[in-house]
Amino acid sequence: MVISMAFYLCVAAHYTTFGWTLADKNIELWPIRCFGLDSHHLECKSCAMSSYSFLAVVIVSVLCVRTVEGDVIDSPQNTSQLHVRNHVTVAIIGGTGDLARKKLWISLFHIYTNFPHYNFTFLGCGLMEPGPGQKRLKEIFLSTVACRDEACADKKEKFLHILQYHKVKTEDDYKALNLLIEKNAKENNEAGRLFYLSIPPFAYTDVAKKIHFCCRPVTKHPWMRIVLEKPFGSDTESAQVLADEISQYFSEDEIYRVDHYLGKTIVRSILPFRFSNRKMFEPLLNKDHIEHVEIALKEVNNVKDRVEFYDEYGTIRDVIQNHLTELLVLLAMELPENLSNHTEIQEKKLKLLGQIRPLTSAKQAVIGQYDSYANEVSSNKLNSTKASDTCTFAAAVVNIDSFRWQGVPFVLMSGKALDQQATYVKVVFKNNLFKFGQSRNFSEQRQIIFNIAGGDIRVPSILIPKTFEKPHIVDFETSEEPGMQEYYIMKPTNDINAHHGLLLDVIHGKHSQFITKEHLVQSWKIWTPLLHKLSKTKPVIYPSNNIMQLSVLNFQFFKDRINFLGSGGDIVIDDQYSDNMFEHNVARIDNYFRQQKLTSGHLDDLFKKLSSDILLVADTAVRLQGVFHMAISGGKSPVRLLQHLAELGMSFPWRYTHIWFVDERCVALNDERSNFNMLESNLLQYVTIPYTNIHPMPVELHHGMCNASDNGDNLYEQYIQTSVPSKKFDLILLGAGTDGHTASLFPNQPSLYITSKLVTLATGVPRDVSERITMTLDLVNQAENIAVLVAGREKHDIIHKLSYGVENATQYPITGVKPINGQMTWYIDYEALFG
């Protein structure tokens, strides 16, 4: 008996939610077997459950059964005995609404049926008068629950007996509701109160206030929990305001924000799958092995009766910001030490959200609208004459700034009235992964698929290529599907309703499947900038539920951008990553520009070719001399090139690379106008280059920004002379402005005439920052390789003038770039070349 009590105290110290109380010690214990739960539901607050603790669970389970059978009874005269608190009040505010009718009452009935040791009171609350309200509530329940046997029918009848309707509108109504709850609480041992707000978000604050002031338990022991359904705001600011308003009345541990997708069986299984198979898959889930990740929610239905809501929110707010972002988080977050530690899980989720780069450019998404949507809007909004630009389809490419995931594109896509009903997460491996012991290359089956709903398999499942060992996950079984013999297809043995599982979590006080306030605001910070950028963008119109829509919605994606192709293919790149993204298929014009080599093509192809050429020069330099010196100029054109260089990852000899600057504005290095800032933001933070190999220009020394007395230009020149062999850079990257300037050498500026220096201070520059430090033409022309990148239709005029062979460095400084013994190549995109 002493050992049993020791075990009991061990469990009591670790598993605390509600129910059992050791009165003289004020210790609560999770109600285990007496409430029909198994070890899967146990929550360890501070450590992993030991074998002793588990044995204690078994012992307490026996005690628990005896208590339920009445052998142990709570008595005020005997405080050393255990007493059970098992009465739970569940009040659905909006109990006759659409969500309650479709999801909530059937879920609560299943909980009532499967967990008989709870003593429930179910309250449906709304604005209707009591008589009609009770009748409507009964009709909803009877139409929702269908029984096939006598036992179920008996349960159904008992459920109806405890299902009550209550009108809630005024403060007095809520006080009357509380009297009813208190009456039931006195007749039973109250465990807690659950209020589910199945109402529009604009009513959350007012209802939460009334519940707080009118319906809180008199004593502290019964728990109080409030459940909120999305949407939680429409941008960062509104989400923050709503969260702050609710927190006036409920603490964060009392609030359960529901994203019902987190309750779906496969979604709930992503972390357990990763955890159970972490030795096999965790070493592969990173930038070195993953090519990209696709997360999609495709629907065949149109917006139906949700037009008014949908026209205000659109696909990104309705689905991508929440459902799909949550899927991304579950896949990409670091694993916790213990899946039972809900606090650690939330911390890991929040950390990952903080690493997701906010989408700040309209080029990071594409949007569409099905062809009949405008008519649906106009017929529902009789007073509206303005055409709606709300997107019913959207795809976005998301990047994570972490060592594990940097450079891996996550493509999130969702739409209405599409060709297929499917929700899935696809993890696509690179072609270079080979599994030894197999007769074929892994590239034949190179993806893990979490099939959440629909699709070709049509049932929730996890697909793993048989090139891996057979994985393991509790409560899943392996099956076979025609045409899918190359995969282990793992299906859950019990696919429970999403709201069923989430409601259980609320009752058990488990927060890991819900959205915290910090989590909510951080998620909106990712998507709000993009929503603002897209606010004036017209969506592409696509045909509803038609295979022809593929020719409109087909898109290609890169590391940080995405665009419609306009013809052919599937909506999401499926088993093979598009050739358009990685092959250097540049259409070259085989002639010369200004008697120097020319490479031309579409912009992205041009960047790939240039980055490939830079890699070739770098490898050659490292092979011959053990180091590669590259100097980069500023401007807009290099930004996307730098991103392509970052994508080369470990294939580029970053360890032996030294990066210098051709020019720099006289601003702080962290200023967004700084060339160093541009390089750091688009390249340096993504590659493993030694800190000592990065050489910014000294624009700010002892006497302020580019003060002549500091001799910053001379210092940089001396540094180059002592560090770069023979003052010859292996490669210098230049651009050409619309006025013909290059680096910070502008037309008719004194710096053009300096021949005695390698680096000089340029003053009076006709730009936003008039003072700069720049390399001179003498230094530039000593380079082994010079690449001149010119892109954009606005550059066509200067390219046209230069094509006539004009030689006037004073008027067009770029014409003064003439390598002495090196090679110069022009990289010009089609828009600049042809206009």
Side-chain angles (χ1 to χ4, degrees), residues 208-258:
K209 179 180 179 180
K210 289 173 179 172
I211 292 173
H212 167 70
F213 284 112
C214 302
C215 299
R216 276 196 177 273
V218 176
T219 62
K220 291 184 177 180
H221 180 80
W223 48 255
M224 184 76 164
R225 291 166 190 161
I226 186 169
V227 184
L228 310 174
E229 279 274 355
K230 80 170 188 71
F232 312 115
S234 57
D235 57 17
T236 306
E237 183 179 1
S238 59
Q240 182 73 62
V241 169
L242 179 59
D244 290 343
E245 289 176 349
I246 300 297
S247 64
Q248 295 178 66
Y249 310 112
F250 289 86
S251 62
E252 189 61 26
D253 63 346
E254 293 177 321
I255 301 171
Y256 292 75
R257 298 177 188 86
V258 170

Side-chain angles (χ1 to χ4, degrees), residues 759-788:
V759 181
T760 187
L761 178 64
T763 59
V765 173
R767 288 293 187 273
D768 56 337
V769 180
S770 61
E771 290 189 337
R772 308 182 182 203
I773 295 180
T774 182
M775 291 182 178
T776 63
L777 289 174
D778 275 10
L779 178 57
V780 169
N781 287 330
Q782 294 183 54
E784 294 286 351
N785 295 275
I786 298 174
V788 182

Side-chain angles (χ1 to χ4, degrees), residues 186-217:
K186 289 179 180 178
E187 296 174 355
N188 301 279
N189 294 308
E190 186 176 22
R193 304 177 184 185
L194 189 163
F195 290 86
Y196 201 116
L197 272 57
S198 181
I199 55 178
F202 68 78
Y204 283 170
T205 302
D206 180 62
V207 172
K209 179 180 179 180
K210 289 173 179 172
I211 292 173
H212 167 70
F213 284 112
C214 302
C215 299
R216 276 196 177 273

Side-chain angles (χ1 to χ4, degrees), residues 518-589:
E518 288 181 308
H519 189 140
L520 171 67
V521 174
Q522 188 62 46
S523 178
W524 273 116
K525 286 181 179 179
I526 296 167
W527 293 101
T528 297
L530 177 66
L531 290 166
H532 291 164
K533 291 289 185 181
L534 294 176
S535 61
K536 297 181 181 180
T537 301
K538 295 283 186 182
V540 171
I541 304 301
Y542 62 93
S544 306
N545 308 112
N546 190 322
I547 194 65
M548 293 301 294
Q549 70 188 204
L550 303 184
S551 64
V552 179
L553 295 180
N554 178 41
F555 60 79
Q556 62 181 352
F557 58 89
F558 302 84
K559 302 298 182 184
D560 63 348
R561 58 202 180 281
I562 188 170
N563 58 270
F564 284 124
L565 286 177
S567 63
D570 199 348
I571 291 180
V572 173
I573 293 144
D574 206 354
D575 187 57
Q576 296 295 322
Y577 207 47
S578 170
D579 290 341
N580 291 345
M581 280 165 268
F582 286 103
E583 288 190 2
H584 299 149
N585 53 349
V586 180
R588 283 191 286 269
I589 298 176

